[in-house]
Amino acid sequence: DGAPSLHCHGVWTDADGAIRGGHILTGDTILSFAAELRAFAMPEVRIEARPDPETNFSLFTPTTAGSGRGRMIAARIRPNIDLCLALEEICRRHGVHEAVVRGGLGSLVGTCFADGTVIPDDAIEVLVRSGHVRTRDGELRAEIEVSAINMKGVVQSGVLLRGRNAVCITFETMLEKLR
């Protein structure tokens, strides 16, 4: 509704010691200890909630007020597109040969990890823990480590299997160009 807000996915340890995850509701969340946060500023970018006719949801969409020639790229990945392949394509379009994923959250249709682990749920909330897109043997390749949270709040973490992780509703990401 035009007011600032925060869309946040997180992973935490509950009172029983179980690792849980999901949305962190900023108005309802209280930390029991001090926490450190790393942030990357992109003053020329706004992330706005806009109606999306494909999904019938209002989805976060980056808008650029500047030249778009800075070190950072803000992007939204649409439904049914593989996350790794999309990150590679974003880099390709921007002439980037190497980038670090500086942030990313969204949902996937299930999750397939490189170690063979599969989470079959329809909508998995995802938090990018780390990631790179690099040129290897002349081809761009994304390697993305995520925490994936199923519908019951159970968390599994690992590196995504390239070509097997379609975006469910939306995925917002920030890439820092290295070269």
Side-chain angles (χ1 to χ4, degrees):
D1 297 330
S5 66
L6 177 67
H7 181 197
C8 186
H9 293 182
V11 175
W12 59 88
T13 304
D14 70 14
D16 296 327
I19 297 174
R20 298 285 181 209
H23 286 99
I24 295 177
L25 304 176
T26 54
D28 298 330
T29 302
I30 299 171
L31 297 178
S32 62
F33 55 87
E36 186 175 310
L37 172 71
R38 288 187 337 156
F40 295 87
M42 297 178 67
E44 73 278 5
V45 174
R46 280 180 62 109
I47 308 284
E48 297 178 351
R50 293 186 171 176
D52 179 71
E54 182 177 0
T55 62
N56 275 337
F57 290 107
S58 286
L59 299 178
F60 296 113
T61 303
T63 61
T64 303
S67 67
R69 295 182 188 191
R71 280 188 15 229
M72 301 294 286
I73 301 168
R76 173 181 167 228
I77 301 168
R78 300 189 61 81
N80 302 314
I81 298 171
D82 177 77
L83 179 59
C84 291
L85 299 179
L87 293 172
E88 294 165 8
E89 180 59 25
I90 291 164
C91 287
R92 199 174 293 109
R93 284 186 192 166
H94 288 269
V96 176
H97 301 282
E98 184 176 3
V100 176
V101 180
R102 291 294 185 197
L105 61 90
S107 58
L108 298 176
V109 181
T111 304
C112 297
F113 291 109
D115 70 1
T117 302
V118 175
I119 306 171
D121 285 358
D122 292 333
I124 303 290
E125 296 294 330
V126 176
L127 169 66
V128 173
R129 300 181 70 85
S130 67
H132 288 87
V133 181
R134 294 184 176 109
T135 303
R136 293 184 193 147
D137 300 323
E139 299 275 336
L140 282 169
R141 290 287 182 257
E143 184 173 297
I144 311 301
E145 181 184 346
V146 303
S147 287
I149 301 109
N150 73 10
M151 301 295 262
K152 295 178 182 173
V154 177
V155 178
Q156 290 182 274
S157 298
V159 175
L160 293 176
L161 180 60
R162 183 177 178 270
R164 296 288 310 275
N165 290 284
V167 169
C168 184
I169 301 294
T170 187
F171 209 99
E172 296 87 38
T173 189
M174 308 295 175
L175 296 164
E176 180 181 7
K177 305 174 200 177
L178 298 182
R179 62 179 187 89

